[in-house]
Amino acid sequence: MVVPKITIGTIRQARRNGEYEKALELIGLARQSPLDTPELLALSLYEGILLYEVGRFVESGDAFEMALLIRPEAKLPEPVSPKIESHFETVRKKALLETSTPTPPDARQKPSPGASSNCPTGHIIPNGRTLQAQQLWRLAMMNQMLCVRGIQGGAVAGRLSEFKAQVSKASSPTEWVRVIQEIDQFAREYSLYPFNSDWTHVKSLVPEERWELGDEDQDVALPEPPASADEEPASLLGCRAAVAPDCERLMRRLLLLQNQLPGVETANRFTARTELLHLGKKVREAFSSETLQAASRDIDAWQSRWH
């Protein structure tokens, strides 16, 4: 039996009939099929409207924020109540404020979400063969990967900039161990894998006059591919194929929550961030809907505790 594709019109009609929960279920089912950008945008906008109408205001804001990450100038697809319109515009103002935060002059500028054509392309050649050159090259590679995925600005850009500053200033073995461990954690968090083979290749392209004595002794191992294909993430967000649609929805929500970490009191920020990282790991490793439902409840609890 061929299941007919769920259309935006079907979701719209369910909403107009007052069947809000049914419309939300239809949105979840629609996400299990391949979607183009306009369809993803429309689903996120309707999800935000419907979640507001059933009283799930925080999740409604998350859905609207996801729509605005896809297209910052997006408009609601049909007339809604003044309260929903106001809620949507409040989310838009917050999103604009976060993405307009100035970055340091030496930080790589990121394009608007979805504009992968504006992202850096081609090989990134390191400025030398030292440990510092290796890690700065690695950060530039990560920046390129995230840009292509449309993950940019906000807390992500801030963390990359902090790493760059730490790498530029590191001098003692202790400092190097600390910053490399932090970059490794960031790489695992976003499934970013410039490998040793990549580094070996680009290092071979560095002119000999830019080599420095002792460079080879400074190299550190970069992340390697998983031991078997079964261990590889099934999606860019690191989700398993069996639960990819629901997993990716939760991962996108976690990315939005991460951008809200600066709003957490400074004294609590480290604990909140650590908990958020553990939640991301739990979501990415999930193999069943039951595990994801438990993770979703944990995310709700985290949000209630820190916001």
Side-chain angles (χ1 to χ4, degrees):
M1 176 181 176
V2 178
V3 179
K5 182 177 179 179
I6 296 168
T7 66
I8 297 299
T10 308
I11 295 167
R12 183 188 299 118
Q13 189 59 51
R15 174 181 175 263
R16 289 178 178 175
N17 293 340
E19 299 173 308
Y20 300 147
E21 293 292 351
K22 177 183 176 182
L24 284 168
E25 289 179 11
L26 290 173
I27 288 174
L29 292 172
R31 285 207 171 104
Q32 296 179 25
S33 302
L35 299 167
D36 57 24
T37 299
E39 288 173 326
L40 284 170
L41 174 64
L43 286 176
S44 293
L45 290 171
Y46 270 107
E47 187 175 34
I49 293 170
L50 288 158
L51 287 168
Y52 192 96
E53 288 173 323
V54 298
R56 293 157 64 181
F57 306 123
V58 173
E59 291 176 73
S60 168
D62 290 346
F64 281 149
E65 191 164 355
M66 180 54 60
L68 293 167
L69 283 174
I70 296 171
R71 185 169 298 163
E73 70 280 8
K75 296 180 180 180
L76 293 175
E78 60 179 281
V80 294
S81 70
K83 286 185 177 180
I84 297 178
E85 183 76 44
S86 175
H87 181 56
F88 178 65
E89 291 304 325
T90 298
V91 174
R92 187 198 301 278
K93 289 176 183 176
K94 176 176 174 292
L96 287 173
L97 183 63
E98 288 180 350
T99 56
S100 64
T101 302
T103 55
D106 62 345
R108 188 181 297 274
Q109 293 297 311
K110 293 182 179 286
S112 59
S116 60
S117 61
N118 294 329
C119 296
T121 58
H123 283 301
I124 296 172
I125 305 302
N127 185 27
R129 295 159 57 99
T130 63
L131 178 59
Q132 182 183 88
Q134 181 200 55
Q135 294 300 314
L136 289 175
W137 164 82
R138 186 183 180 192
L139 292 172
M141 287 283 291
M142 290 178 175
N143 180 62
Q144 184 183 69
M145 294 178 196
L146 289 168
C147 181
V148 170
R149 297 180 196 177
I151 302 173
Q152 52 203 317
V156 170
R159 288 175 70 188
L160 286 171
S161 181
E162 287 175 14
F163 290 147
K164 186 174 181 179
Q166 287 176 268
V167 168
S168 298
K169 295 176 182 176
S171 56
S172 70
T174 301
E175 289 174 334
W176 275 116
V177 169
R178 182 182 299 118
V179 67
I180 290 171
Q181 286 177 340
E182 290 178 1
I183 294 173
D184 286 348
Q185 174 60 49
F186 182 83
R188 288 191 295 271
E189 187 179 339
Y190 288 95
S191 298
L192 302 169
Y193 296 104
F195 303 124
N196 269 327
S197 56
D198 300 317
W199 167 243
T200 301
H201 172 68
V202 296
K203 187 169 63 171
S204 70
L205 303 177
V206 176
E208 189 170 352
E209 60 268 21
R210 296 220 319 257
W211 295 10
E212 291 184 21
L213 200 60
D215 285 347
E216 304 303 323
D217 296 332
Q218 295 188 58
D219 278 357
V220 295
L222 297 179
E224 289 297 337
S228 72
D230 292 338
E231 297 177 25
E232 290 211 40
S235 75
L236 287 176
L237 293 176
C239 294
R240 305 295 173 179
V243 292
D246 289 336
C247 169
E248 291 188 355
R249 177 179 59 80
L250 289 181
M251 286 303 299
R252 286 192 291 267
R253 185 179 174 197
L254 287 171
L255 290 175
L256 293 174
L257 290 175
Q258 180 175 278
N259 285 337
Q260 297 172 17
L261 279 173
V264 177
E265 291 184 11
T266 304
N268 299 326
R269 199 171 298 158
F270 177 81
T271 301
R273 179 175 174 274
T274 300
E275 290 180 3
L276 201 62
L277 294 178
H278 286 311
L279 286 172
K281 183 174 184 291
K282 182 176 182 178
V283 171
R284 286 193 299 274
E285 293 179 349
F287 281 91
S288 68
S289 297
E290 291 74 19
T291 307
L292 286 177
Q293 289 169 6
S296 181
R297 290 191 292 270
D298 290 343
I299 294 171
D300 290 339
W302 183 95
Q303 195 162 6
S304 298
R305 184 159 58 251
W306 299 114
H307 288 281

